[in-house]
Structure formats: structure tokens, C-alpha cells
Amino acid sequence: MGDRKVIVFDTTLRDGEQTPGVNFDKETKYKIANKLASLGVDVIEAGFPAASNGDFEAVKYVGENLDGVTVAGLSRCVKSDIDRTYEALKNAKKSRIHLFIATSDIHLKYKLKISRDEALKMAVDSVKYALGKFDEIQFSAEDASRTDWDFLIKVFNEVIDAGAKIINIPDTVGYAVPKEFGRLVEYVKDNIHDRENVTISVHCHNDLGMAVVNSLSAVESGADQVEVTVCGIGERAGNAALEEVIMAINTRKDYFNVIHGINTKEIYSTCKLVSEMAGIELQPNKAIVGFNAFRHTAGIHQHGVINNKATYEIMKPEDIGITTDHISMGKLSGRNAFELKLKNMGFNLSRDEINIAFKRFKDVADNKKVVDDEDIREIVEDVILNSKSFKEGELWG
Ligand SMILES: [Zn+2]
């Protein structure tokens, strides 16, 4: 028996787009979706077709033009939403409707103003109505982590009996803690009907900074699918970050014993694209892809890394696609070589910034035989930190 595969459901284009101030148009969504496909995600949630005409068009376009990946559209448990989602996805290569309704008492009472029985009926009726219109039906019990566990099982079992093959356990408000969330996944696993044919999914929010660790706890407890966004963008404090979940699973393969379809070498460039498109600058100490994630400054660390990288590095920059091109730079290197180097390192600087950086590089090269990538990274960081565009949040390295 081989290792269990974790399905990666990316919702950068739906939940990620709910980041305050972020709006992706059709072309942008398609561009990002293409990148996500080469990254190797299994499912792309492209949007919420009933929310706006723009999003309808975007979901339709992505669904009809993207190969080799399932395209999902979000839908409330109402007929008009399901119809709209169907119209958007009917010609998609592989379609999934993502139905959701809140199941926690607080959401039922104050948001939907309906009883548990009414919510249950809406869920079941919607799954039945969606049957045959999509390749796959996914059902989410919104605010599952604050839902009565027995009621949650009741809802899951009735939607499974009605034909939903994927059930999602969202920690909508980022309230769960890892062990408890893992226990919930186990409880669901042990109590749902038709376990062998049903995919259990989790969707974690980062309000307490635990989206990634809750997702990992769920995987450990047997979850089959994780819902993530690139760079963890999303509503409020965001979602579980794809790159962190994947690199944790990779780096601690010995512990998690699961596989996935992600080509990790595409991680860095995907994160760059999404953060640029979203206009979001990442914190320098962001795990995996932050500017400082692979930088060592303490002398004792540098010394260790020079002797053997494994002393302080648990991952290699190359693993996530940060290129080390082995072009050695020195005082004889010209401006073209310098620009090529910046490009290879993934930096996208303005003319002015390149001019300043090149001058600084020459100064360093005068005093040092070989200017390594680490030196160049440092120069660029200084230039970016002091430039106008950094303050406006346009760039990150
Ligand atoms: Zn969400």
C-alpha cells in the first residue's frame, strides 16, 4: 500500500479574493489559474458565480479553458445559485459545485434565522437538485468547528445519502485548535456513511494564526483534502497557506506519510505572481517565501551553513524554485550580467532601482572578489526598503 494522497483544493481565486482590497478580473483569474495548474493543484475554486456577473464570467472562462484540473464554483443552498453555477460550469472540462450552508446554532439563529431542521432540508434539497448537473458535488457545513458534533454528522450523512461525495469541515472563523480539530476530523471519519467513497475536506482560517497547523492536524487525522490559498491570502487574517502546508508535509515526510501532486519548484514563482496580482506585500519573515526565509545573518549560523547547509537549513531554496544559477559575479561583471542575475533570482526592479543596485554592487565588488547571491539579495533588499515603490506596497523580493 502506497502513501495516502492529499488532494489540494486551491481557493485563492474565491476565498483569497475576499481579502480586503483585492479584486481579480477575468484575465487575472485565468492567469493565476494557469499558474495553479502548473503548480499541480487538483481543484481550483474559481469564484462564486451567483455573486456577480464578473465572477460568473471568470468561473466560466476558467472552467472552459483549463485542462487537467477540476474547476469549482461556490454556491449557497438555493436554487437560483445552483442554476447560476450550472450555467457557469456546464461546459467546463471537469466541474464541481461547492454547496454551503451554516450549521452552527449561532449562524442559524442570527444570520440565517432558520432552525436546524430547515437548514438540513435546504442542504439535502440542494444536493438533490444539483445531482447530474456537475461532475462532483461538494458540501460544506459552514462554521463546522462551532457546530454541535451530532448535528454535523446528521447533516453530513443526509447530504452523502443524497449524493454529495465530498464533505468539507470549515473552521470558518479560525476558532479551532489543532488537537480538537483533529479529533473532529476523526469523529467525522468514524461516523459518516460510505466512508470509502467520500472525500473529507478541511478549510481553515487563520484568525488565531493556526490555519496551517489545524490543516496539518486534520491531515494527520485522516482528512483527504485541504483547502488552501497561495500565500494564505483570504478573508480577515486569511486561509491556510498552500506553500506552508505543502512544505511541512514534504519536509516532514517521515512524520506525515502522505503524498500530493504539487510541483514544489513552482511555489516561489506562484507566490510572486499572486502577491503581485493581489497587490499584497509579504512580511519578510513569512515562512517559506518571505524575503528572509533563507537568509542567515548570525555569524555562527553562516559558518555552519557554509560547512554544511543542513546545519541550519531544513529545506533548500531550490526546492521551492528559487534559482541558484551559479553565475559568479565580481568586479568585472557588467550591467547585463547584473540584470540577468536579478532576473534569475526572481527580482523585478524598476529602472531606477536597478541603477542604484548596480552602483552598490560595484562598490561591494571593489572590496570582494566574488559577490555571491546572498550579497546581491542584501543589496536588493536595501534598495527596495529605501525605494518609494516598497512603501506603496508594489514590490516584494
Ligand atoms: Zn473561508
Side-chain angles (χ1 to χ4, degrees):
M1 217 178 82
D3 286 337
R4 194 161 59 89
K5 186 189 171 182
V6 172
I7 299 160
V8 177
F9 177 114
D10 182 280
T11 183
T12 304
L13 301 180
R14 202 277 298 166
D15 215 327
E17 202 199 15
Q18 287 172 226
T19 304
V22 170
N23 184 36
F24 297 136
D25 60 17
K26 184 172 100 176
E27 283 71 32
T28 307
K29 282 202 170 184
Y30 186 59
K31 194 173 178 184
I32 295 173
N34 255 306
K35 187 69 181 164
L36 291 170
S38 41
L39 176 67
V41 307
D42 302 282
V43 185
I44 293 175
E45 186 165 51
F48 187 174
S52 71
N53 288 337
D55 223 25
F56 174 88
E57 291 300 333
V59 173
K60 187 168 167 3
Y61 194 75
V62 171
E64 288 171 10
N65 290 288
L66 215 57
D67 280 315
V69 52
T70 301
V71 175
L74 187 70
S75 170
R76 288 171 299 181
C77 285
V78 291
K79 255 187 178 171
S80 54
D81 271 28
I82 300 168
D83 288 338
R84 198 78 178 130
T85 310
Y86 172 68
E87 285 305 317
L89 287 174
K90 65 182 176 191
N91 296 319
K93 308 242 158 94
K94 198 170 180 204
S95 66
R96 177 184 294 189
I97 187 168
H98 181 190
L99 289 164
F100 76 99
I101 194 165
T103 50
S104 66
D105 288 335
I106 186 165
H107 275 229
L108 290 176
K109 188 171 174 197
Y110 296 103
K111 188 181 76 172
L112 298 177
K113 298 183 169 56
I114 57 174
S115 68
R116 285 185 180 184
D117 284 346
E118 285 169 304
L120 177 61
K121 186 172 184 313
M122 284 171 77
V124 173
D125 288 350
S126 298
V127 171
K128 285 182 179 160
Y129 185 67
L131 263 187
K133 296 186 174 75
F134 305 89
D135 294 316
E136 296 169 345
I137 298 177
Q138 170 168 330
F139 173 81
S140 272
E142 192 188 1
D143 204 20
S145 51
R146 293 193 299 171
T147 297
D148 174 75
W149 285 19
D150 290 329
F151 180 59
L152 186 65
I153 295 297
K154 189 174 175 188
V155 174
F156 281 156
N157 278 334
E158 295 212 14
V159 297
I160 289 167
D161 294 347
K165 288 281 172 265
I166 304 126
I167 53 161
N168 184 34
I169 310 170
D171 182 27
T172 306
V173 292
Y175 179 76
V177 289
K179 272 195 177 169
E180 170 199 54
F181 196 60
R183 277 202 301 273
L184 175 57
V185 170
E186 267 162 36
Y187 190 74
V188 169
K189 194 174 71 178
D190 292 343
N191 288 286
I192 53 165
H193 297 167
D194 202 18
R195 167 62 187 126
E196 306 75 58
N197 298 307
V198 170
T199 298
I200 298 175
S201 172
V202 293
H203 174 109
C204 297
H205 275 274
N206 206 34
D207 297 71
L208 293 171
M210 294 193 281
V212 168
V213 71
N214 282 334
S215 304
L216 292 170
S217 174
V219 166
E220 205 184 333
S221 298
D224 308 295
Q225 172 178 290
V226 285
E227 300 197 1
V228 291
T229 62
V230 175
C231 302
I233 66 171
E235 186 92 44
R236 305 183 311 279
N239 291 61
L242 180 149
E243 64 281 6
E244 295 180 24
V245 171
I246 294 301
M247 290 313 288
I249 288 174
N250 261 37
T251 307
R252 295 306 311 274
K253 210 173 181 347
D254 61 314
Y255 182 80
F256 289 105
N257 291 312
V258 290
I259 55 168
H260 56 75
I262 298 296
N263 174 10
T264 64
K265 289 196 184 307
E266 293 284 322
I267 283 179
Y268 187 64
S269 54
T270 305
C271 288
K272 285 207 64 170
L273 176 71
V274 168
S275 69
E276 273 168 28
M277 295 286 123
I280 288 173
E281 189 206 319
L282 300 182
Q283 68 196 59
N285 60 328
K286 163 86 179 65
I288 317 295
V289 291
F291 196 93
N292 292 341
F294 290 98
R295 295 180 76 219
H296 302 273
T297 46
I300 192 161
H301 287 208
Q302 282 179 340
H303 186 72
V305 169
I306 289 162
N307 289 333
N308 182 347
K309 285 195 171 221
T311 46
Y312 284 99
E313 280 188 6
I314 57 167
M315 298 168 275
K316 296 197 288 290
E318 303 92 276
D319 294 343
I320 61 159
I322 295 178
T323 31
T324 40
D325 55 14
H326 306 295
I327 299 173
S328 81
M329 302 289 293
K331 84 178 165 193
L332 296 176
S333 307
R335 195 182 155 107
N336 284 345
F338 183 68
E339 282 190 41
L340 177 68
K341 187 76 184 175
L342 293 182
K343 211 174 136 232
N344 288 345
M345 290 177 74
F347 295 120
N348 187 11
L349 303 191
S350 70
R351 272 291 101 201
D352 287 350
E353 287 166 339
I354 293 174
N355 290 338
I356 301 167
F358 186 60
K359 245 174 122 183
R360 294 275 298 277
F361 160 72
K362 281 291 183 187
D363 291 343
V364 175
D366 273 339
N367 298 307
K368 223 180 153 204
K369 212 168 171 189
V370 174
V371 183
D372 61 19
D373 286 8
E374 214 51 41
D375 297 321
I376 292 175
R377 208 169 269 281
E378 215 156 283
I379 292 169
V380 172
E381 185 195 42
D382 273 1
V383 170
I384 292 177
L385 275 171
N386 291 311
S387 82
K388 190 169 139 285
S389 50
F390 176 81
K391 282 163 201 136
E392 287 171 358
E394 286 166 10
L395 277 172
W396 67 284

